[in-house]
Amino acid sequence: MRVLIVDDELDIREFVQYNLAKEGYEVACAKNGEEAIEVAVAFRPHLILMDMMMPVMDGREACRRLRSISEFDNTRILFLSAVCEEESLVECYEAGADDYITKPVSMRVLCSRVNALKRRIDEEQKEVSTTPLVEELHTYRTADGDVTLTAKEYGILRLLDSQARIFTREEIYNAVWGEGVVVGARTLDVHIRHLRSKIGEDKIITCKGFGYKLNK
């Protein structure tokens, strides 16, 4: 698995890089958010460990920009920062972060978290590899004409349309993917983004801290 470390402090970059390399990971580094985007495009990391406060471009802005690039839809972004105020944490998640670890953190704990993420990524890739290449498609009629939806997109839309209420992320996961199925934290966000691009950006409402609802 490829890991990108983004931190403006050289000693932290080198220390984390050394320890993750010992664990068998392929590691690259960047010293600020702007450089992180350049390195990520070339390196294609599975996981990015991102500091928040950095010169040139901070971690939150870098995260937002990476999330706007479809190639990084399934890349895990984990913030590793000394900033721990609730508002800052919320901003990180809203920017597209998958998780957050507060500094200082022991290398043993950090490696354990990275190893856990690797297991989740491996499971998801295994699930994808056993999924039939031909996915059932569905047609959905919009004001601008018919659009084609994947089975998962159609399942999400049908669930949201079934009741005029907010559906939690867990309810959507269980109804569309099935109970007990391990799904990446960003998977639902990616599907919602694709759905909005097909049926209209204002058709699905994000209810922060709760889930999603259909704008009928």
Side-chain angles (χ1 to χ4, degrees):
M1 187 173 81
R2 296 182 297 277
V3 181
L4 172 59
I5 302 165
V6 188
D7 200 296
D8 60 328
E9 296 187 42
L10 177 60
D11 57 341
I12 292 179
R13 293 198 305 271
E14 292 181 341
F15 183 61
V16 177
Q17 181 179 24
Y18 171 77
N19 282 276
L20 289 183
K22 280 177 57 179
E23 293 284 319
Y25 295 104
E26 185 179 351
V27 186
C29 295
K31 61 180 177 293
N32 57 61
E34 185 176 275
E35 186 176 289
I37 296 172
E38 296 176 0
V39 175
V41 169
F43 186 58
R44 295 296 181 89
H46 300 93
L47 169 66
I48 300 175
L49 296 177
M50 183 94 71
D51 188 25
M52 185 187 298
M53 305 302 293
M54 296 181 291
V56 184
M57 182 188 295
D58 66 24
R60 283 168 295 192
E61 179 60 25
C63 184
R64 276 190 287 268
R65 296 196 186 189
L66 286 166
R67 287 303 183 207
S68 70
I69 303 173
S70 60
E71 285 79 4
F72 301 109
D73 281 346
N74 295 317
T75 300
R76 302 293 195 280
I77 299 179
L78 192 156
F79 274 90
L80 187 62
S81 178
V83 179
C84 57
E85 288 83 0
E86 181 177 347
E87 184 176 347
S88 296
L89 297 179
V90 171
E91 289 176 355
C92 286
Y93 286 119
E94 290 180 346
D98 293 288
D99 206 347
Y100 190 102
I101 296 178
T102 303
K103 294 178 183 176
V105 60
S106 74
M107 205 60 235
R108 182 180 179 184
V109 170
L110 181 59
C111 286
S112 177
R113 295 286 289 273
V114 172
N115 289 336
L117 279 170
K118 181 182 185 300
R119 288 192 294 271
R120 288 176 58 184
I121 291 171
D122 289 344
E123 284 295 323
E124 289 171 19
Q125 290 178 343
K126 181 179 179 181
E127 181 185 344
V128 170
S129 67
T130 57
T131 301
L133 294 178
V134 179
E135 183 177 10
E136 183 182 0
L137 300 178
H138 299 264
T139 300
Y140 180 79
R141 179 157 296 176
T142 71
D144 298 322
D146 292 346
V147 296
T148 301
L149 304 178
T150 66
K152 292 291 190 296
E153 291 168 350
Y154 182 75
I156 294 169
L157 186 58
R158 186 172 62 176
L159 177 66
L160 296 181
D161 193 36
S162 65
Q163 298 180 48
R165 68 177 180 88
I166 300 170
F167 287 86
T168 67
R169 299 173 70 89
E170 290 73 20
E171 287 177 319
I172 299 173
Y173 283 136
N174 291 337
V176 179
W177 277 267
E179 294 187 17
V181 176
V182 178
V183 183
R186 301 296 305 172
T187 301
L188 178 57
D189 300 323
V190 172
H191 280 77
I192 292 292
R193 188 186 311 158
H194 290 169
L195 258 177
R196 283 173 171 153
S197 70
K198 294 178 179 182
I199 69 172
E201 293 293 332
D202 62 338
K203 294 299 182 181
I204 299 177
I205 301 172
T206 299
C207 303
K208 293 181 181 179
F210 295 97
Y212 298 95
K213 65 178 293 187
L214 196 64
N215 184 16
K216 297 186 178 183

